[in-house]
Structure formats: C-alpha cells, structure tokens
Amino acid sequence: MEVFLTGGSGTIGQAVVSHLLEDGCKVIALSRSEQSADKLRHLGATVFPGDLTCPEEWTQRAVSCEALVHLGATFAPDMGAVDRAAMFAIRKAARGKARPLKIIYTGGIWLYPAASDRYPLKETTAHAPLPPFAQMSETIRSLITSVELQVSVIHPALVCSAETGPVADLANAALAGSPFKTRATLQTCWPLVEVSDLARLYSTVLRRQGFRLNVFGAGHPGLPVGELVDAVNQELETDLILQTEAAPEDIPPTADWMAGYGRSQVLNTERSEKLSGWSPEHKTAETLVRAVLQV
C-alpha cells in the first residue's frame, strides 16, 4: 500500500512511519524543511516537499495514494484554520477517484470533556474541546460525512516517548532536582499511551477492511498524576514533587495549550481494542515509565 503521511518528522509521525514501513507500506511523507526531510529519509520514507499551509502543493500527490495518514499540525494560533483548509483541499482533490480515499485523521483526547472512572468517556461522548482545538471537531464532522473519503479517526492519549511527553518531562524535572510545574494536581487523571503502541494502532487501523472507525488510542485509560510521579521517583530514586500552577492571565483561552493538562479524564478503551484488534503493551505506570526511560 502506498501511504501519504503528514507530520512524519514529529514524535508520533516517526514511530508511525517506521511501523508502516515494517508492514510493507511505501510511505510518501510531506516535508517542509531539509531537517525534517533528513529524518524521514533516514527512516526509509520517500520525501515529498511541501507545506501544510499550502495544500495546493501536495494534495494531488496525496490523493494518488491509497491512503492518507494525517498527523501534521502547525501548533500555531491558526492551527484550526490551516487544518480545515488542508482537509477541504483533500476532499476536493479526491473527487472523481475510482475508490474513496482512505484517511486516518488524528484527533485527540482534549476534544473531550473531563470525566471520572465512574462515568468514563466513550468515543461517542459529545465533544467539549479545549478552545485551541475547537475547529478540529468541525473538521471531523465534515470529513466523516464526505462520500469521497473513507475516514477513521484516532484520538491519542497523552503520548509518552523517550524525548517528549508527560513521563519524559517528569523524569527531566526529577533528575534536575526541580519541581514539576503543571496545571494538574496529584488527583488529576491523565490517559497515557506509549508512542510505539500508538504507532501500531495506526498501522492496525489502516489494515482494517471496514476502516471507518472512531477510536481512542490509550494504553492506560486514566492514571492519577500522583501515581505517575511515584513511579518516576521509584525508578529514578528521586524525590520529585508536583507544583500546580494557575492559568496565566496574559494568555487567552484560544492559545492556552497547557490547560489540557489540568483536564482530568478517564477513558473507556474497550471499544478501541475490540473494534480495531489493537492491544497496547504498556498499560501500567511502571511499564510506561520503564519504556520511556529505556530501562
């Protein structure tokens, strides 16, 4: 299968590229810089130059493939508008194809409201997005109603890798002897997923015949931050403490990305595993911490 991929040089993207290549796919990865192109070539992907903000540069190449995995985002104030324009261009370019284009669109758990283990979130729960991600909900609705496309949506939990994510950030603070500053409290629950587990989910969903899925990507459905801090301290033999911060007054809600870490969420992950056939390997605080710290 020839797969076009955006966001391939990011944390999730590099893992997904590697897994798709291992599965025998040919990966065509969008790249806007030589630095990201070098990363992608090193992984074994074919690089296609272009910018997410200029979809006319790459959409025709994308729809010539059998599938598109969309992981790209600008993470700028115009992120929602850029994403919506890119997906509109894909819909337009896909018209007239003999078969609908397969798309895996990346959503996120911050499209969903806070939830406890008593009433865990389901994929069908109504969205209540964090303001910076509000337009993403509209884009998803537009995509899934399109006859030109076969769309599956994956909502990653907080992604944990050796370089980035909650566990790496906690470990860096612990080793530096600094408090970990966050919007969360020790009781806040974070859904978590190890990056290679998440990459396998993308590969698994791509191979599904029915394809039209809407699933969470979480290894742990909702881990109290205090338990994650304890696991890091135990592994590193440190004494990390958590420092809860209030929202800055000078940042508008539409630009306040960090507010998501204060949103306590617990997911019901049964549906994603049952429908996709995916089973993550890292489901506990201990296995997540060890995977990230590579011990």
Side-chain angles (χ1 to χ4, degrees), residues 164-247:
T164 62
V167 175
D169 292 343
L170 285 165
N172 289 337
L175 293 171
S178 304
F180 180 71
K181 299 179 181 180
T182 179
R183 301 288 179 82
T185 68
L186 293 173
Q187 291 75 40
T188 302
C189 290
W190 286 346
L192 303 168
V193 65
E194 194 271 333
V195 67
S196 63
D197 278 341
L198 180 61
R200 282 195 298 105
L201 175 59
Y202 278 84
S203 181
T204 300
V205 168
L206 193 61
R207 292 196 303 268
R208 293 283 296 178
Q209 291 298 320
F211 199 73
R212 293 179 186 267
L213 297 175
N214 179 42
V215 295
F216 291 136
H220 196 294
L223 182 68
V225 175
E227 293 185 22
L228 191 59
V229 170
D230 290 343
V232 169
N233 278 331
Q234 182 174 349
E235 194 63 49
L236 295 177
E237 298 182 349
T238 51
D239 192 25
L240 175 67
I241 61 171
L242 181 140
Q243 183 176 319
T244 302
E245 293 187 316

Side-chain angles (χ1 to χ4, degrees), residues 88-111:
F88 178 82
I90 284 290
R91 285 186 61 178
K92 184 177 179 181
R95 291 171 187 162
K97 279 180 64 73
R99 295 181 179 179
L101 176 70
K102 288 185 174 183
I103 292 183
I104 298 182
Y105 183 88
T106 303
I109 56 165
W110 289 346
L111 295 179

Side-chain angles (χ1 to χ4, degrees), residues 61-170:
R61 182 65 181 98
V63 301
S64 72
C65 296
E66 295 172 70
L68 164 67
V69 176
H70 182 46
L71 290 158
T74 64
F75 293 103
D78 64 350
M79 179 181 72
V82 168
D83 186 63
R84 189 171 185 176
M87 292 301 98
F88 178 82
I90 284 290
R91 285 186 61 178
K92 184 177 179 181
R95 291 171 187 162
K97 279 180 64 73
R99 295 181 179 179
L101 176 70
K102 288 185 174 183
I103 292 183
I104 298 182
Y105 183 88
T106 303
I109 56 165
W110 289 346
L111 295 179
Y112 289 87
S116 68
D117 55 2
R118 185 175 180 183
Y119 299 106
L121 295 167
K122 298 181 179 180
E123 289 91 342
T124 54
T125 301
H127 286 185
L130 206 67
F133 300 94
Q135 278 195 310
M136 188 179 287
S137 291
E138 299 174 15
T139 300
I140 290 173
R141 284 193 292 269
S142 173
L143 290 174
I144 62 178
T145 58
S146 171
V147 297
E148 300 92 2
L149 310 172
Q150 284 188 340
V151 181
S152 286
V153 182
I154 295 176
H155 298 284
L158 303 185
V159 181
C160 302
S161 76
E163 293 80 25
T164 62
V167 175
D169 292 343
L170 285 165

Side-chain angles (χ1 to χ4, degrees), residues 15-61:
V16 172
V17 168
S18 295
H19 275 271
L20 293 180
L21 291 170
E22 288 173 8
D23 281 351
C25 295
K26 179 180 180 181
V27 178
I28 315 297
L30 183 69
S31 174
R32 68 173 181 174
S33 71
E34 273 306 309
Q35 183 179 12
S36 65
D38 288 343
K39 289 181 181 179
L40 293 163
R41 291 191 190 101
H42 180 74
L43 292 171
T46 299
V47 171
F48 192 87
D51 194 307
L52 200 63
T53 63
C54 301
E56 66 277 3
E57 297 176 351
W58 53 269
T59 48
Q60 286 297 331
R61 182 65 181 98

